[in-house]
Amino acid sequence: MTVGQISGQNILADDFRSALHQVPAAVVILTTRLAGEDRAQTVTATAICAGSAEPPSLLISLREDASFCRELGESGVVAVNFVAQEHHEMVRSFVEAGAAEGFARSACWRRGTTGAPLLNKSVVSMDCTLIHSQRQGANIVYTAQVQTLHTADAEGLLYRGGLLRRLESGA
């Protein structure tokens, strides 16, 4: 994407994705359990936003053609794990080798009340049940009601411009 302005019907999907990749965003591992197997999808926080504080809920937007989207719809549960900097190598294994290898390489997981895997020592982990889904263009937007919430005093891992990044201390 070039620096400048693109407007109206001229905005292409690749331009939109490229623009969002320039926004520093928390790294998130979404997990679920289906047919006795743990499943995962690594995304950034640009795919997630708060739905409501009362009751606590999230909106999660995923490409409809992703296999995780189908798995999530079938399981009806999701854990939203905001990754800590200490999990940098584990995130790489999820992205490069896939979920099975990522889970196998790490003893950092525990089972949530919904059955979805929760990441130990993540900045925030939310164990959720899906209560609604709706198509939005090429995506499915899920409404996930938070059942349990876990926090840790940890620095979050960020993603920007194709790279995993650490937050600098101080302002």
Side-chain angles (χ1 to χ4, degrees), residues 15-52:
D15 292 330
F16 184 69
R17 280 190 214 95
S18 181
L20 289 178
H21 282 214
Q22 295 309 309
V23 178
V27 176
V28 179
I29 299 177
L30 300 174
T31 60
T32 193
R33 186 156 180 88
L34 180 64
E37 290 185 29
D38 293 332
R39 315 290 175 98
Q41 174 75 45
T42 304
V43 299
T44 67
T46 57
I48 300 165
C49 72
S52 173

Short mmCIF file of all heavy atoms in Angstrom, two decimals, residues 15-52:
data_model
loop_
_atom_site.label_atom_id
_atom_site.label_comp_id
_atom_site.label_asym_id
_atom_site.label_seq_id
_atom_site.Cartn_x
_atom_site.Cartn_y
_atom_site.Cartn_z
N ASP A 15 -5.72 -3.58 0.37
CA ASP A 15 -5.37 -2.26 0.90
C ASP A 15 -5.87 -2.11 2.34
O ASP A 15 -5.16 -1.58 3.20
CB ASP A 15 -5.97 -1.14 0.05
CG ASP A 15 -5.35 -1.05 -1.33
OD1 ASP A 15 -4.16 -1.40 -1.47
OD2 ASP A 15 -6.06 -0.64 -2.27
N PHE A 16 -7.09 -2.59 2.58
CA PHE A 16 -7.67 -2.51 3.93
C PHE A 16 -6.85 -3.33 4.92
O PHE A 16 -6.47 -2.86 5.99
CB PHE A 16 -9.13 -2.99 3.88
CG PHE A 16 -9.85 -2.87 5.19
CD1 PHE A 16 -10.16 -1.62 5.71
CD2 PHE A 16 -10.22 -4.00 5.90
CE1 PHE A 16 -10.83 -1.50 6.92
CE2 PHE A 16 -10.88 -3.89 7.11
CZ PHE A 16 -11.19 -2.63 7.62
N ARG A 17 -6.52 -4.59 4.54
CA ARG A 17 -5.70 -5.45 5.41
C ARG A 17 -4.32 -4.82 5.65
O ARG A 17 -3.81 -4.83 6.77
CB ARG A 17 -5.54 -6.84 4.80
CG ARG A 17 -6.73 -7.72 5.01
CD ARG A 17 -6.40 -9.16 4.59
NE ARG A 17 -7.57 -9.78 4.04
CZ ARG A 17 -7.90 -9.85 2.76
NH1 ARG A 17 -7.11 -9.36 1.84
NH2 ARG A 17 -9.01 -10.42 2.38
N SER A 18 -3.71 -4.30 4.61
CA SER A 18 -2.40 -3.68 4.72
C SER A 18 -2.44 -2.48 5.68
O SER A 18 -1.53 -2.29 6.48
CB SER A 18 -1.91 -3.24 3.34
OG SER A 18 -0.64 -2.67 3.42
N ALA A 19 -3.50 -1.70 5.60
CA ALA A 19 -3.65 -0.56 6.50
C ALA A 19 -3.77 -1.03 7.95
O ALA A 19 -3.11 -0.48 8.85
CB ALA A 19 -4.87 0.27 6.12
N LEU A 20 -4.56 -2.07 8.20
CA LEU A 20 -4.72 -2.58 9.56
C LEU A 20 -3.43 -3.19 10.09
O LEU A 20 -3.16 -3.15 11.29
CB LEU A 20 -5.85 -3.61 9.63
CG LEU A 20 -7.26 -3.04 9.49
CD1 LEU A 20 -8.29 -4.15 9.52
CD2 LEU A 20 -7.55 -2.01 10.57
N HIS A 21 -2.59 -3.74 9.21
CA HIS A 21 -1.31 -4.31 9.65
C HIS A 21 -0.35 -3.24 10.15
O HIS A 21 0.63 -3.55 10.82
CB HIS A 21 -0.66 -5.10 8.51
CG HIS A 21 -1.26 -6.44 8.32
ND1 HIS A 21 -0.54 -7.52 7.92
CD2 HIS A 21 -2.54 -6.89 8.47
CE1 HIS A 21 -1.34 -8.58 7.84
NE2 HIS A 21 -2.55 -8.20 8.16
N GLN A 22 -0.61 -1.97 9.84
CA GLN A 22 0.23 -0.88 10.32
C GLN A 22 -0.15 -0.42 11.72
O GLN A 22 0.58 0.32 12.35
CB GLN A 22 0.17 0.30 9.34
CG GLN A 22 0.75 -0.02 7.98
CD GLN A 22 2.13 -0.65 8.08
OE1 GLN A 22 3.02 -0.13 8.75
NE2 GLN A 22 2.31 -1.78 7.43
N VAL A 23 -1.30 -0.88 12.20
CA VAL A 23 -1.76 -0.51 13.53
C VAL A 23 -1.20 -1.51 14.54
O VAL A 23 -1.48 -2.70 14.44
CB VAL A 23 -3.31 -0.53 13.60
CG1 VAL A 23 -3.79 -0.19 15.01
CG2 VAL A 23 -3.91 0.44 12.58
N PRO A 24 -0.38 -1.06 15.51
CA PRO A 24 0.09 -2.01 16.52
C PRO A 24 -1.10 -2.61 17.26
O PRO A 24 -1.99 -1.89 17.71
CB PRO A 24 0.93 -1.15 17.47
CG PRO A 24 1.25 0.09 16.69
CD PRO A 24 0.10 0.29 15.75
N ALA A 25 -1.12 -3.93 17.34
CA ALA A 25 -2.26 -4.60 17.96
C ALA A 25 -1.78 -5.78 18.79
O ALA A 25 -0.77 -6.42 18.47
CB ALA A 25 -3.23 -5.09 16.88
N ALA A 26 -2.50 -6.06 19.86
CA ALA A 26 -2.18 -7.19 20.71
C ALA A 26 -2.31 -8.49 19.91
O ALA A 26 -3.17 -8.61 19.03
CB ALA A 26 -3.14 -7.23 21.90
N VAL A 27 -1.43 -9.44 20.22
CA VAL A 27 -1.50 -10.77 19.62
C VAL A 27 -2.45 -11.62 20.46
O VAL A 27 -2.36 -11.62 21.70
CB VAL A 27 -0.11 -11.43 19.56
CG1 VAL A 27 -0.19 -12.85 19.02
CG2 VAL A 27 0.84 -10.58 18.71
N VAL A 28 -3.34 -12.31 19.79
CA VAL A 28 -4.38 -13.10 20.47
C VAL A 28 -4.38 -14.51 19.89
O VAL A 28 -4.33 -14.68 18.67
CB VAL A 28 -5.77 -12.46 20.27
CG1 VAL A 28 -6.86 -13.28 20.94
CG2 VAL A 28 -5.79 -11.02 20.77
N ILE A 29 -4.44 -15.50 20.77
CA ILE A 29 -4.67 -16.87 20.32
C ILE A 29 -6.09 -17.24 20.74
O ILE A 29 -6.40 -17.28 21.93
CB ILE A 29 -3.65 -17.87 20.89
CG1 ILE A 29 -2.24 -17.50 20.45
CG2 ILE A 29 -4.00 -19.29 20.46
CD1 ILE A 29 -1.15 -18.40 21.03
N LEU A 30 -6.93 -17.47 19.73
CA LEU A 30 -8.29 -17.96 19.98
C LEU A 30 -8.21 -19.48 20.04
O LEU A 30 -7.56 -20.10 19.20
CB LEU A 30 -9.21 -17.55 18.84
CG LEU A 30 -9.37 -16.05 18.58
CD1 LEU A 30 -10.19 -15.82 17.33
CD2 LEU A 30 -10.00 -15.36 19.78
N THR A 31 -8.87 -20.08 21.03
CA THR A 31 -8.86 -21.53 21.14
C THR A 31 -10.27 -22.06 21.34
O THR A 31 -11.15 -21.36 21.85
CB THR A 31 -7.98 -22.01 22.32
OG1 THR A 31 -8.49 -21.47 23.53
CG2 THR A 31 -6.53 -21.58 22.13
N THR A 32 -10.44 -23.30 20.94
CA THR A 32 -11.70 -24.00 21.19
C THR A 32 -11.38 -25.48 21.30
O THR A 32 -10.25 -25.90 21.07
CB THR A 32 -12.74 -23.71 20.09
OG1 THR A 32 -14.03 -24.15 20.53
CG2 THR A 32 -12.38 -24.37 18.77
N ARG A 33 -12.36 -26.27 21.67
CA ARG A 33 -12.19 -27.72 21.75
C ARG A 33 -13.35 -28.33 20.98
O ARG A 33 -14.50 -28.03 21.22
CB ARG A 33 -12.19 -28.20 23.19
CG ARG A 33 -11.87 -29.69 23.32
CD ARG A 33 -11.30 -29.98 24.70
NE ARG A 33 -10.98 -31.38 24.88
CZ ARG A 33 -9.82 -31.93 24.57
NH1 ARG A 33 -8.87 -31.20 24.04
NH2 ARG A 33 -9.61 -33.21 24.78
N LEU A 34 -13.00 -29.19 20.03
CA LEU A 34 -14.01 -29.82 19.18
C LEU A 34 -13.62 -31.28 18.97
O LEU A 34 -12.48 -31.56 18.61
CB LEU A 34 -14.09 -29.08 17.84
CG LEU A 34 -15.09 -29.61 16.83
CD1 LEU A 34 -16.52 -29.47 17.34
CD2 LEU A 34 -14.94 -28.88 15.50
N ALA A 35 -14.56 -32.17 19.20
CA ALA A 35 -14.36 -33.61 19.00
C ALA A 35 -13.12 -34.10 19.74
O ALA A 35 -12.34 -34.89 19.21
CB ALA A 35 -14.28 -33.94 17.52
N GLY A 36 -12.92 -33.62 20.97
CA GLY A 36 -11.81 -34.07 21.79
C GLY A 36 -10.46 -33.50 21.42
O GLY A 36 -9.44 -33.92 21.97
N GLU A 37 -10.41 -32.55 20.49
CA GLU A 37 -9.13 -31.95 20.07
C GLU A 37 -9.15 -30.44 20.30
O GLU A 37 -10.16 -29.78 20.07
CB GLU A 37 -8.87 -32.21 18.59
CG GLU A 37 -8.57 -33.65 18.27
CD GLU A 37 -8.20 -33.82 16.80
OE1 GLU A 37 -7.66 -32.87 16.19
OE2 GLU A 37 -8.46 -34.91 16.28
N ASP A 38 -7.98 -29.93 20.71
CA ASP A 38 -7.82 -28.49 20.87
C ASP A 38 -7.54 -27.88 19.51
O ASP A 38 -6.76 -28.40 18.72
CB ASP A 38 -6.67 -28.19 21.83
CG ASP A 38 -6.98 -28.62 23.25
OD1 ASP A 38 -8.17 -28.65 23.61
OD2 ASP A 38 -6.04 -28.93 23.99
N ARG A 39 -8.18 -26.77 19.23
CA ARG A 39 -8.02 -26.04 17.97
C ARG A 39 -7.66 -24.60 18.30
O ARG A 39 -8.02 -24.09 19.35
CB ARG A 39 -9.31 -26.06 17.15
CG ARG A 39 -10.02 -27.41 17.07
CD ARG A 39 -9.25 -28.40 16.22
NE ARG A 39 -9.85 -29.71 16.22
CZ ARG A 39 -10.65 -30.18 15.29
NH1 ARG A 39 -10.95 -29.44 14.24
NH2 ARG A 39 -11.16 -31.39 15.38
N ALA A 40 -6.95 -23.94 17.38
CA ALA A 40 -6.52 -22.56 17.65
C ALA A 40 -6.39 -21.76 16.37
O ALA A 40 -6.19 -22.31 15.29
CB ALA A 40 -5.18 -22.57 18.39
N GLN A 41 -6.49 -20.46 16.53
CA GLN A 41 -6.27 -19.50 15.45
C GLN A 41 -5.57 -18.29 16.06
O GLN A 41 -6.04 -17.75 17.06
CB GLN A 41 -7.60 -19.07 14.83
CG GLN A 41 -7.51 -17.98 13.80
CD GLN A 41 -6.95 -18.47 12.48
OE1 GLN A 41 -7.34 -19.52 12.01
NE2 GLN A 41 -6.05 -17.73 11.91
N THR A 42 -4.46 -17.89 15.48
CA THR A 42 -3.76 -16.69 15.94
C THR A 42 -4.27 -15.50 15.15
O THR A 42 -4.33 -15.55 13.92
CB THR A 42 -2.24 -16.85 15.75
OG1 THR A 42 -1.82 -18.04 16.43
CG2 THR A 42 -1.49 -15.67 16.32
N VAL A 43 -4.67 -14.44 15.86
CA VAL A 43 -5.18 -13.22 15.24
C VAL A 43 -4.58 -12.03 15.99
O VAL A 43 -3.82 -12.21 16.94
CB VAL A 43 -6.73 -13.15 15.29
CG1 VAL A 43 -7.36 -14.31 14.54
CG2 VAL A 43 -7.25 -13.11 16.72
N THR A 44 -4.93 -10.85 15.56
CA THR A 44 -4.58 -9.66 16.34
C THR A 44 -5.85 -9.07 16.92
O THR A 44 -6.96 -9.44 16.52
CB THR A 44 -3.87 -8.58 15.48
OG1 THR A 44 -4.80 -8.07 14.53
CG2 THR A 44 -2.62 -9.13 14.82
N ALA A 45 -5.67 -8.17 17.84
CA ALA A 45 -6.82 -7.56 18.50
C ALA A 45 -7.68 -6.73 17.56
O ALA A 45 -8.78 -6.32 17.93
CB ALA A 45 -6.36 -6.72 19.69
N THR A 46 -7.22 -6.49 16.32
CA THR A 46 -8.08 -5.78 15.37
C THR A 46 -9.28 -6.64 14.99
O THR A 46 -10.26 -6.12 14.44
CB THR A 46 -7.32 -5.36 14.10
OG1 THR A 46 -6.75 -6.52 13.49
CG2 THR A 46 -6.23 -4.34 14.42
N ALA A 47 -9.26 -7.95 15.28
CA ALA A 47 -10.38 -8.84 14.98
C ALA A 47 -11.34 -8.96 16.15
O ALA A 47 -12.35 -9.65 16.05
CB ALA A 47 -9.85 -10.23 14.62
N ILE A 48 -11.05 -8.27 17.27
CA ILE A 48 -11.83 -8.42 18.49
C ILE A 48 -12.15 -7.05 19.07
O ILE A 48 -11.30 -6.15 19.07
CB ILE A 48 -11.04 -9.23 19.54
CG1 ILE A 48 -10.72 -10.61 18.98
CG2 ILE A 48 -11.79 -9.35 20.86
CD1 ILE A 48 -9.67 -11.35 19.75
N CYS A 49 -13.35 -6.90 19.58
CA CYS A 49 -13.67 -5.67 20.32
C CYS A 49 -14.69 -5.99 21.41
O CYS A 49 -15.36 -7.03 21.38
CB CYS A 49 -14.17 -4.56 19.40
SG CYS A 49 -15.81 -4.79 18.74
N ALA A 50 -14.79 -5.11 22.37
CA ALA A 50 -15.77 -5.27 23.43
C ALA A 50 -17.16 -5.13 22.85
O ALA A 50 -17.43 -4.21 22.07
CB ALA A 50 -15.54 -4.23 24.53
N GLY A 51 -18.03 -6.05 23.21
CA GLY A 51 -19.42 -5.97 22.77
C GLY A 51 -20.24 -5.20 23.78
O GLY A 51 -21.00 -4.30 23.45
N SER A 52 -20.06 -5.56 25.06
CA SER A 52 -20.81 -4.94 26.14
C SER A 52 -20.12 -5.26 27.46
O SER A 52 -19.50 -6.32 27.59
CB SER A 52 -22.25 -5.49 26.17
OG SER A 52 -22.94 -5.03 27.30
#
